[in-house]
Amino acid sequence: MLVSSTTTQQQESLRSAYMIIGKNSIYLPLNQSNIIQNLTNVYGIRDCGQQCLENDNCRTANYYKTGKVCSLFIEDSRRGQIALSTVADVLSLEQCVSGRSNICPQYAEDAAWNQTGIIVAQGISQLYGMDIDLDGNIYITNTYNNVSKFSSNNSTSATSFASNFTSPYGIFAYSNSYVYIAIQQQSVVLKYPSMGGNPVIVAGTYGSRGSAQNQLLYPAGIFVDDDESVFIADRNNHRIQKWLPNATNGTTVAGITNSSGNDSRHLNSPYCVWLDKDNNMIILDSGNSRVLKWPQGSTNGTTLVQLDNISFTPWMIFDSYYNIYTSDYYNGCIRRSIPSNNYATAPCIIKPTPSIQPRVIKLDNMGNIFVADFTQSAVLKYSLLPSNNVCRKNC
């Protein structure tokens, strides 16, 4: 489970949220009459959570992927029962005593992180990709052609999760059900059951690299949306590809195939792609040292962050407030750009001694940053320092 909590830093009474998102679960209320309403055409658990947050009476919400229905309940989830399911996500929310709508957690603009990382996974040479599932299990890809899995309570001993391919890179833990892996040499994306088993190809043609719509060319980062469509940073084709479930061809949704450039229509070696709550693509255009916001259906992107004087940025993440975090590989730091100053600067927020070579980074709902460090062959957790979570209005 992911837990997000905040404490009020101002004297006025604001909402402090305690939120649990349990993928592939369903909330069974103690009393069915405690339902507030069923909302339709809600696109994703984040939007469902926002609907609950904006309703003063809501304490628990279920999001049903099938039908895109968001059910809001009065009672707290601890009164009812959370059961396993394959069709719903459950979200529990305790509001501030005096909290009202449009008040939710946000990291302070001057937030700071501990500069000493705690090792949460180690002993993986040549690590490239990393993701963490909802139970805290860590999945790591490396150039030695396998994927390792560390349990949440064991940082030293990994199990082999997947192998028999060449140069796995991007990895995406979808809910607690599947793990998606981008394989560079075979230029495909594979989908594995999270409990282990045989994979299926969900993008690309195995062993056939290229620039056709059924091919990929050294794919890097991947993102899977609520409909299980896969977005792929097709790095050497300088494009973002979208593959629908069970599709035999992808669709170019950003960039121009096999054409690099630095204008708003082109990409140059994109390394990762994410979707925001409005389904805009947020793209790390690594070859151009920039982060773009690219609406789906558009032929142009807008630069959010220009990362000048940074020679290699292999990864990017962002939080709910469009604070953008990037890994600066050769300068050994994690940078953060904030929208309140129009992303004008990207200062280092984590630059430890001894130095690191950060590749993939992750941000949990507590504000802690996880870094896959190439130098130490380890994943380190850098904790958000106390008193750096605040509640703000109109977020």
Side-chain angles (χ1 to χ4, degrees), residues 197-212:
N198 295 323
V200 295
I201 298 173
V202 294
T205 302
Y206 195 90
S208 176
R209 299 190 296 269
S211 57

Side-chain angles (χ1 to χ4, degrees), residues 176-377:
N176 274 10
S177 302
Y178 300 102
V179 176
Y180 293 74
I181 306 169
I183 312 299
Q184 293 190 96
Q185 289 294 333
Q186 284 79 28
S187 288
V188 291
V189 176
L190 302 178
K191 176 183 177 181
Y192 282 83
S194 60
M195 300 305 293
N198 295 323
V200 295
I201 298 173
V202 294
T205 302
Y206 195 90
S208 176
R209 299 190 296 269
S211 57
Q213 290 300 311
N214 68 338
Q215 293 177 310
L216 301 169
L217 191 59
Y218 296 100
I222 50 180
F223 178 86
V224 184
D225 69 11
D226 288 337
D227 296 325
E228 297 191 41
S229 295
V230 183
F231 293 76
I232 306 157
D234 191 10
R235 187 179 58 184
N236 284 21
N237 278 323
H238 312 294
R239 66 186 182 182
I240 304 299
Q241 292 293 94
K242 179 180 180 180
W243 283 67
L244 299 174
N246 304 313
T248 56
N249 289 280
T251 302
T252 302
V253 291
I256 298 175
T257 298
N258 205 24
S259 175
S260 64
N262 60 8
D263 59 26
S264 63
R265 298 170 56 246
H266 285 86
L267 300 172
N268 184 4
S269 298
Y271 264 74
C272 65
V273 57
W274 302 91
L275 294 191
D276 67 11
K277 63 183 179 63
D278 297 317
N279 287 320
N280 299 303
M281 292 174 288
I282 309 297
I283 302 168
L284 174 60
D285 188 19
S286 192
N288 287 318
S289 298
R290 65 184 179 180
V291 177
L292 298 170
K293 180 179 180 179
W294 200 303
Q296 291 193 57
S298 175
T299 57
N300 296 78
T302 302
T303 298
L304 294 178
V305 181
Q306 186 65 53
L307 299 163
D308 294 324
N309 303 316
I310 300 176
S311 57
F312 181 42
T313 303
W315 209 254
M316 171 272 301
I317 53 174
F318 65 97
D319 60 32
S320 300
Y321 304 91
Y322 280 98
N323 299 306
I324 294 175
Y325 307 76
T326 50
S327 53
D328 185 346
Y329 186 77
Y330 289 115
N331 287 315
C333 79
I334 307 302
R335 298 181 180 273
R336 181 184 188 226
S337 305
I338 59 178
S340 60
N341 71 346
N342 296 315
Y343 303 106
T345 61
C348 290
I349 56 170
I350 296 174
K351 190 174 176 62
T353 302
S355 64
I356 59 175
Q357 287 181 298
R359 295 197 68 91
V360 174
I361 51 178
K362 293 286 293 183
L363 181 74
D364 71 12
N365 277 16
M366 296 292 287
N368 305 308
I369 296 175
F370 294 78
V371 178
D373 176 24
F374 197 80
T375 300
Q376 299 183 62
S377 300

